[in-house]
Amino acid sequence: KGETMVGKMSENKSESKGLVREFKLLEAVTIGVGGMIGGGIFAAIGQVTRLADDMVLYSLLFCTIAALLTGYNYAKLAEKFPSSGASYTYVSKGFGQKLGSSVAWLLWFGYSSASAFYAVSFGLYLGHFINVNWRILSLGLIAIMTLINLGGLKYLGKSENAIVFGKISILIVFIIAGLFFINVDKVTYMANPINLSSTPSLINTILGGALIFIAYEGFELIATSAEELNEPEKNIKIAIFLSIITVSIVYMLSVIVSLSVVNVTEFSSSEAPLVIAAEKFLGPLGGIMMGIGAVLSTSSALNASIYGSSRILYSLARDGGAPKKLAEINNRTNIPQYSVLFTAMLATILVTLGVVEEVSALSSMFFLMIFLMVNLTSIKLTREAVIRVNYAISLIATIMVTIPIGFILAYLMTPLLWTMLFVSLIIAFVISSIILKHSERNTVMATTLPVGNQPVSNPAETL
């Protein structure tokens, strides 16, 4: 009786309400596509081409296969554990709450820093059209997207649908118009696997894939919608594969068109490579069109990232791995409002401090490490007969994600990034250990407290 009464006291009304299923398959797909087509194809593709040169299509192909195989594991795990925690929940089921909580904090930081990167990219692109400081534009976008996220799933879904359809339409116009200018000989050369035979070409191609892999991580956001999506067991799988295939086709066709009209050197050295390519066959109007596409892409990616990171934080707090306040649901909007605000706050700080480039490079590493952990979880739970997946697919997915991690560590990590990586891992582990220990102690207090000695305030809420 004492346990029951104390348990009832510990229930927070806004928290116990839980998330509401208002998303349909379309919203799940646009969240995934919105998160994937961000700054990657409009800016990072130039850096990838600088490394991979004419083999950039193979870098994209490598990422596509790795994403599809990893997406398969996500779909199977989401079918068994449909939770807004997604990666955090899966790793917790496979390797324990402490490691899962550490993954959640890293994932939250990764999405928050990605949000800052998208906001900065938005400010820089829009700054070309209007005479306003890019930082003001970036912070303004964070504020707008935060308000949209706080407004409820209906507004979030409609805004993401509209922005994603807008940017996809622009990219389709770019691709269709560019098809009339395709250099068949150039494309044939780019697609020739013999060019990969030399060791430097193979290394640079994989390095290019490691850099652009961040542009494929958005499918993870689909898994975080599990508690707000209708029929998640079916729709998550469809949305993941549909998003990855759609984005991959858009990426590859955009690169084929671009490198048919722009030489590799000019394309790879530009901060806005698609803008330059569009100007070659569509004139100044094409450059403006692609600039608008970049603005829409960074906006939708920011919107999706705030959504995904806030749901991970909500799920972590609900399980006792973060302050309980972050698990509270607004009674009117059904949104974990404090998680949304906390995510937006970190993105705002990163933009204001101007450390986005360094932090974004680190977040790419985090995403790869988390994908590796999820793939390992799939293998472990399969061996324990908890889930049923194709063992070979999970194993190949693990290997394909491990390869870019190794290449980044060997070729791209600077002393500063090494330091930031180790410090971040230690901080995530320490925070998780302290909060979980505190949560366990409060749980013990709540379950052993005599009825007559119940305090006025609930100890479990001291977090």
Side-chain angles (χ1 to χ4, degrees):
K1 181 178 179 181
E3 286 184 24
T4 302
M5 292 185 69
V6 174
K8 287 182 178 180
M9 285 182 65
S10 67
E11 288 182 1
N12 183 294
K13 291 182 180 180
S14 60
E15 177 188 343
S16 62
K17 184 177 182 181
L19 300 173
V20 178
R21 298 191 185 281
E22 295 185 34
F23 271 174
K24 297 180 181 178
L25 176 61
L26 177 62
E27 283 74 29
V29 172
T30 56
I31 283 289
V33 173
M36 293 169 77
I37 302 182
I41 191 62
F42 286 94
I45 192 64
Q47 301 173 6
V48 175
T49 307
R50 195 177 308 137
L51 275 173
D53 200 62
D54 287 320
M55 298 298 98
V56 64
L57 287 181
Y58 282 98
S59 294
L60 294 173
L61 180 61
F62 176 87
C63 288
T64 299
I65 295 173
L68 285 171
L69 296 178
T70 302
Y72 167 81
N73 286 331
Y74 268 92
K76 287 294 186 179
L77 287 165
E79 184 178 355
K80 179 68 175 180
F81 310 110
S83 168
S84 60
S87 302
Y88 146 67
T89 300
Y90 311 150
V91 175
S92 295
K93 296 293 184 182
F95 296 96
Q97 179 72 6
K98 187 172 292 186
L99 183 57
S101 295
S102 300
V103 164
W105 282 111
L106 292 177
L107 192 58
W108 172 76
F109 179 78
Y111 274 125
S112 298
S113 56
S115 297
F117 172 74
Y118 297 138
V120 169
S121 299
F122 170 88
L124 292 174
Y125 265 104
L126 189 56
H128 285 295
F129 298 98
I130 60 177
N131 188 24
V132 178
N133 182 276
W134 68 266
R135 188 172 271 109
I136 294 176
L137 296 173
S138 299
L139 295 176
L141 180 66
I142 293 176
I144 292 172
M145 292 306 170
T146 300
L147 290 174
I148 289 176
N149 271 267
L150 291 172
L153 288 184
K154 183 181 295 184
Y155 298 104
L156 173 63
K158 286 183 178 180
S159 64
E160 192 70 3
N161 289 346
I163 298 173
V164 168
F165 281 130
K167 70 179 180 182
I168 290 293
S169 298
I170 289 174
L171 286 170
I172 289 176
V173 170
F174 169 76
I175 290 169
I176 292 176
L179 289 177
F180 295 96
F181 300 88
I182 281 185
N183 185 327
V184 177
D185 293 335
K186 176 71 172 179
V187 175
T188 302
Y189 176 79
M190 291 168 60
N192 190 345
I194 295 177
N195 297 317
L196 289 172
S197 58
S198 67
T199 301
S201 294
L202 183 59
I203 291 175
N204 288 336
T205 300
I206 296 177
L207 274 175
L211 277 181
I212 199 64
F213 202 91
I214 186 66
Y216 285 78
E217 50 81 17
F219 69 83
E220 200 270 350
L221 291 167
I222 297 171
T224 66
S225 70
E227 295 180 46
E228 296 167 289
L229 176 65
N230 291 324
E231 301 182 85
E233 295 83 1
K234 178 184 69 173
N235 286 334
I236 285 179
K237 176 170 61 178
I238 297 174
I240 285 177
F241 291 128
L242 188 58
S243 298
I244 294 173
I245 292 172
T246 300
V247 168
S248 298
I249 292 173
V250 170
Y251 280 175
M252 289 192 180
L253 290 178
S254 296
V255 170
I256 288 173
V257 168
S258 297
L259 292 183
S260 291
V261 297
V262 181
N263 65 65
V264 172
T265 303
E266 184 181 2
F267 186 79
S268 62
S269 61
S270 173
E271 294 183 358
L274 292 193
V275 173
I276 291 179
E279 289 177 341
K280 292 290 184 180
F281 57 86
L282 293 174
L285 183 61
I288 294 174
M289 180 184 73
M290 296 310 292
I292 294 173
V295 167
L296 293 176
S297 293
T298 50
S299 299
S300 68
L302 174 59
N303 196 23
S305 295
I306 291 177
Y307 166 79
S309 57
S310 66
R311 294 323 187 262
I312 291 166
L313 203 55
Y314 157 79
S315 185
L316 180 63
R318 182 180 57 186
D319 296 343
K324 284 291 184 182
K325 197 73 174 175
L326 297 173
E328 288 189 10
I329 301 293
N330 184 284
N331 289 319
R332 182 177 61 84
T333 61
N334 302 315
I335 294 295
Q337 54 190 1
Y338 295 110
S339 290
V340 171
L341 291 171
F342 195 43
T343 297
M345 180 184 70
L346 179 57
T348 300
I349 292 173
L350 293 175
V351 171
T352 303
L353 294 178
V355 293
V356 174
E357 185 175 348
E358 294 80 3
V359 172
S360 296
L362 188 63
S363 68
S364 300
M365 188 66 181
F366 287 161
F367 282 118
L368 284 168
M369 293 171 64
I370 290 164
F371 286 159
L372 174 61
M373 289 301 303
V374 170
N375 286 330
L376 289 173
T377 297
S378 180
I379 292 175
K380 185 174 185 293
L381 293 181
T382 297
R383 295 185 64 178
E384 295 173 356
V386 177
I387 60 173
R388 296 180 62 183
V389 301
N390 188 302
Y391 190 81
I393 292 178
S394 297
L395 185 60
I396 296 172
T398 302
I399 294 172
M400 292 196 71
V401 172
T402 303
I403 290 173
I405 291 177
F407 274 66
I408 289 177
L409 293 176
Y411 292 97
L412 300 180
M413 292 291 282
T414 64
L416 175 60
L417 289 178
W418 272 109
T419 303
M420 292 173 65
L421 175 62
F422 281 118
V423 169
S424 300
L425 292 175
I426 292 172
I427 290 176
F429 184 78
V430 169
I431 290 176
S432 298
S433 299
I434 293 174
I435 294 180
L436 286 173
K437 185 176 181 180
H438 193 91
S439 179
E440 289 170 1
R441 183 166 65 248
N442 285 339
T443 301
V444 172
M445 290 174 62
T447 56
T448 58
L449 190 65
V451 176
N453 294 329
Q454 292 178 22
V456 176
S457 61
N458 173 24
E461 293 181 354
T462 56
L463 284 174

